[in-house]
Amino acid sequence: MDATEFRDSVEESMSDELERLGSSKLLVALTDADLAEKTVLRTVANSERAAMETFESWADDEEHTDARDAFADCYDQEREHYDRVVAFLADEYEADADAGELHDRLRSLETTAARLGGLVGRSLVGERTHLQVVSFFVNEGDERRADVFRELRTETAAQGDRAAELLETVCKETEDWNRARTAAEEAIDAAYDAYADSLDDLGLDPKPIC
C-alpha cells in the first residue's frame, strides 16, 4: 500500500460519515444551532487549540524522528491557525477545556503508525469543517475571512498528506497499515458520533445528506 491508496481506502470505508460531516448541518451541530459569527469563530478556535495540544503531546514523546518532526510542525501550524482565528475575536474568547471526542480519541493513540493514521483521519474531518466555515463566511459576504479559512483548509489537508506519506516508511507489515487505518477510521467515527449526538439533541436527523 502507498499513501494515496491508504487515503483512498479510508475515504471509501468512511464515505457515509465523511459525506455527512461535509454537509451544511455540520456547523449547526458544532454550534448547537447558534450560527452567530462569534459562536462559529469560538468553535473553530476551540478546535484549533485542541489540535495544537494533541500534536504537542505527540511530539513530546514520539520516538520516530520523522514523525516527531511532523507532529512538531503540525503543532506550530495549529498554533498559527489558533492565533489567526482568535485574532478575529479580539478579547471575546475564552478557551474551552473540553478537547472533544475526536481529540480524546487521538490522544489515546500510542504507536507511530496509529498516530499517523489518526492524523490522516483528523485531516479528512478538518477539511470538511473548514469548507463549511468558508461557506459560512461567503454567505455572510465576508470574503476576507473566507480566504483565511481556505488557507487553513489547504494546510490541514497537507498535514494529512504528509502523514500518509510517512506511513510508507513507518509501516513495515500489513498489520502496521491495518493499525493506521483503524486509527483513521476511529478518529472519523469519533467526530461523526459527536456530530450525530449533537443533532439528535437538537431533534434533527444526521442521516439525510444535505
Side-chain angles (χ1 to χ4, degrees), residues 26-41:
L26 180 63
L27 287 185
V28 174
L30 292 177
T31 64
D32 290 329
D34 179 4
L35 292 174
E37 179 180 296
K38 290 178 181 177
T39 306
V40 171
L41 288 169

Side-chain angles (χ1 to χ4, degrees), residues 4-24:
T4 300
E5 291 169 340
F6 177 80
R7 185 182 175 101
D8 288 348
S9 71
V10 173
E11 288 189 288
E12 181 178 355
S13 68
M14 304 300 293
S15 60
D16 287 346
E17 290 84 353
L18 289 170
E19 190 167 2
R20 291 168 191 166
L21 285 168
S23 79
S24 59

